[in-house]
């Protein structure tokens, strides 16, 4: 049977999955995740209301975007979005983690502090597709309240907003230099790193009108990259740069990850270890407390999410698999962007994500 993607246009991670499936040439049908779909399909199969959800050709239910991507990377023929060379692959895995788990901060800030009234209509269009604009706005405001409530726990407040905006606008400028020189992060083929970045940079920061205007004005080459990612013209095309080249234009982006996200991940890892000692459990909650973070010299607190560590573990596993010249090359890359702490980064336990549940191995 044809695969089915349950998703929505305004959903950050739906944008990531859709862009990959289109590039990979997967034969699938997208179904709008209306309340009936949540009730009848998503919650019974996944256990919670979340999108995107993929029903694969064999009937398997896949929920996380990384698992969806890896399912088709292992199943389908053709070129891979995972670079084969060590420096590119490590950088791509790190940038997936950065996009998926860190850029949600500016994504949520700009959505709810610049586009709030507009996005209520978007929520309403999903919840009540046949309703009038007024009906959609009303139901959208009710359904969007849950997502609006995530803003403060992500560390977005009056004290941190100026720093969040300064960091994001500089990131746009850095990426504009990158995408003025290269179609994608590592050449003419998208990588897993591109798919990490596309979620926040498309569904919230390009598609939402006020933040989309900011992107178009500050970083037009980033907007063109977004369009290449989501309007796929030639599936399974392009190549990665030769000689394991990680463009110098990516150094500021990786350095930003190391200065902003890595200390937060270190603290989250310690907090997960404390949770394990205190509870003896093996299914950590969505957050194990509030962890400090610093952006542009401004410190705040946001939820400490063990899932972010599972994403980082993918890069750590790859790094641990290397030796000899490949290991040395990656160590040099990390040193050049301030990421030496990753060489000694240890998790309190191995994390697994299966059957839609994150677990720690004891």
């Amino acid at each position: 049977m044809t695969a089915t993607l349950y998703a929505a246009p305004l959903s950050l991670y739906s944008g990531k999955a859709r862009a990959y499936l289109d590039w990979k040439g997967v034969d699938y049908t997208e179904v709008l995740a209306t309340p009936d779909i949540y009730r009848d399909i998503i919650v019974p199969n996944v256990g919670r209301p979340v999108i995107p959800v993929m029903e694969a050709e064999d009937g398997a239910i896949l929920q996380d975007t990384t698992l969806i991507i890896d399912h088709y990377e292992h199943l389908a023929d053709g070129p891979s979005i995972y670079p084969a060379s060590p420096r590119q692959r490590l950088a791509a895995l790190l940038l997936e983690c950065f996009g998926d788990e860190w850029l949600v901060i500016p994504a949520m800030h700009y959505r709810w502090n610049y586009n709030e009234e507009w996005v209520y209509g978007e929520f309403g269009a999903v919840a009540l597709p046949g309703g009038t604009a007024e009906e959609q706005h009303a139901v959208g405001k009710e359904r969007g309240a849950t997502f609006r409530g995530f803003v403060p726990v992500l560390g977005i407040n009056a004290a941190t907003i100026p720093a969040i905006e300064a960091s994001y606008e500089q990131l746009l400028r850095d990426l504009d230099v990158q995408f003025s020189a290269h179609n994608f992060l590592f050449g003419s083929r998208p990588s897993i790193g591109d798919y990490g970045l596309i979620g926040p940079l498309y569904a919230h920061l390009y598609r939402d009108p006020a933040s989309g205007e900011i992107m178009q004005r500050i970083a037009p080459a980033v907007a063109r990259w977004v369009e290449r990612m989501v309007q796929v013209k030639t599936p399974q095309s392009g190549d990665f740069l030769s000689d394991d080249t990680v463009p110098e234009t990516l150094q500021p982006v990786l350095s930003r990850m190391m200065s902003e996200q890595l200390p937060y991940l270190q603290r989250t890892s310690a907090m997960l270890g404390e949770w394990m000692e205190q509870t003896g459990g093996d299914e950590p909650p969505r957050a194990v407390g509030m962890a400090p973070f610093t952006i542009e010299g401004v410190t705040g607190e946001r939820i400490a999410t063990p899932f972010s560590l599972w994403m980082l573990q993918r890069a750590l596993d790859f790094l641990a698999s290397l030796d000899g010249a490949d290991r040395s090359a990656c160590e040099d890359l990390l040193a050049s962007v301030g990421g030496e702490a990753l060489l000694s980064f240890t998790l309190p336990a191995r994390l697994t994500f299966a059957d839609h549940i994150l677990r720690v191995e004891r």
Side-chain angles (χ1 to χ4, degrees):
M1 67 176 187
T2 300
T4 302
L5 178 71
Y6 300 103
L10 79 166
S11 160
L12 187 155
Y13 296 105
S14 293
K16 176 186 175 184
R18 185 187 305 110
Y20 168 79
L21 294 168
D22 289 347
W23 183 84
K24 198 67 175 180
V26 175
D27 182 16
Y28 75 98
T29 299
E30 182 168 339
V31 172
L32 187 65
T34 62
D36 289 350
I37 293 294
Y38 276 107
R39 183 194 65 219
D40 297 339
I41 296 174
I42 295 174
V43 173
N45 283 284
V46 178
R48 60 188 183 280
V50 62
I51 53 173
V53 169
M54 189 94 186
E55 185 175 1
E57 294 84 348
D58 61 359
I61 299 294
L62 308 168
Q63 181 270 304
D64 179 72
T65 52
T66 297
L67 297 185
I68 292 170
I69 287 172
D70 284 356
H71 173 83
Y72 286 102
E73 283 294 291
H74 294 144
L75 184 68
D77 294 329
S80 174
I81 63 165
Y82 287 94
S85 55
R87 285 161 44 91
Q88 289 181 355
R89 191 179 186 109
L90 177 62
L93 288 167
L94 289 171
L95 289 171
E96 185 197 21
C97 181
F98 181 59
D100 264 23
E101 301 298 314
W102 197 247
L103 294 189
V104 68
I105 297 175
M108 289 290 282
H109 161 57
Y110 284 94
R111 166 157 288 182
W112 292 106
N113 291 317
Y114 281 71
N115 297 281
E116 181 174 3
E117 289 303 311
W118 177 83
V119 86
Y120 286 143
E122 292 290 289
F123 273 102
V126 174
L128 198 64
T132 66
E134 292 76 14
E135 291 169 336
Q136 289 178 343
H137 185 276
V139 72
K141 191 166 187 178
E142 178 182 341
R143 292 184 176 274
T146 298
F147 295 89
R148 182 72 175 87
F150 292 149
V151 169
V153 298
L154 290 172
I156 302 165
N157 54 52
T160 61
I161 282 173
I164 291 168
E165 292 189 354
S167 174
Y168 171 65
E169 289 187 8
Q170 186 55 52
L171 174 67
L172 280 183
R173 294 185 185 98
D174 292 337
L175 286 173
D176 199 61
V177 175
Q178 163 67 25
F179 294 128
S180 294
H182 303 283
N183 280 348
F184 302 102
L185 291 175
F186 304 102
S188 58
R189 182 194 303 179
S191 72
I192 188 65
D194 291 272
Y195 289 105
L197 297 179
I198 195 60
L201 287 173
Y202 165 62
H204 287 54
L205 294 165
Y206 171 93
R207 189 174 178 274
D208 290 10
S211 44
E213 186 280 327
I214 292 170
M215 180 185 290
Q216 295 278 8
R217 173 168 44 84
I218 292 177
V222 177
R224 303 294 83 76
W225 165 82
V226 169
E227 291 158 4
R228 284 193 294 275
M229 290 288 291
V230 303
Q231 299 166 12
V232 178
K233 293 183 178 179
T234 310
Q236 301 191 46
S237 63
D239 295 296
F240 296 125
L241 296 169
S242 61
D243 301 322
D244 198 17
T245 299
V246 174
E248 290 186 9
T249 45
L250 281 180
Q251 286 208 348
V253 181
L254 289 164
S255 295
R256 184 169 301 279
M257 176 188 181
M258 299 312 161
S259 66
E260 293 181 359
Q261 188 182 18
L262 182 54
Y264 159 83
L265 291 171
Q266 290 173 307
R267 180 58 191 140
T268 299
S269 180
M271 294 174 70
L272 176 61
E274 293 163 5
W275 175 86
M276 291 173 61
E277 290 181 6
Q278 293 167 4
T279 67
D282 62 2
E283 293 183 19
R286 179 173 184 177
V288 288
M290 299 292 288
F293 69 92
T294 301
I295 294 179
E296 298 292 322
V298 176
T299 299
E301 281 193 332
R302 59 159 289 174
I303 52 173
T305 51
F307 192 83
S308 297
L309 298 175
W310 180 76
M311 289 294 298
L312 179 66
Q313 181 179 262
R314 287 161 48 78
L316 295 176
D317 284 350
F318 177 69
L319 185 61
S321 74
L322 301 175
D323 56 21
D326 288 349
R327 172 80 182 195
S328 295
C330 286
E331 289 178 354
D332 290 345
L333 172 65
L334 292 175
S336 71
V337 297
E340 296 94 336
L342 284 171
L343 298 173
S344 57
F345 197 110
T346 56
L347 296 171
R350 181 157 192 81
L351 294 162
T352 61
F353 186 64
D355 300 323
H356 321 301
I357 298 172
L358 183 71
R359 293 182 174 87
V360 296
E361 292 183 354
R362 290 183 176 271

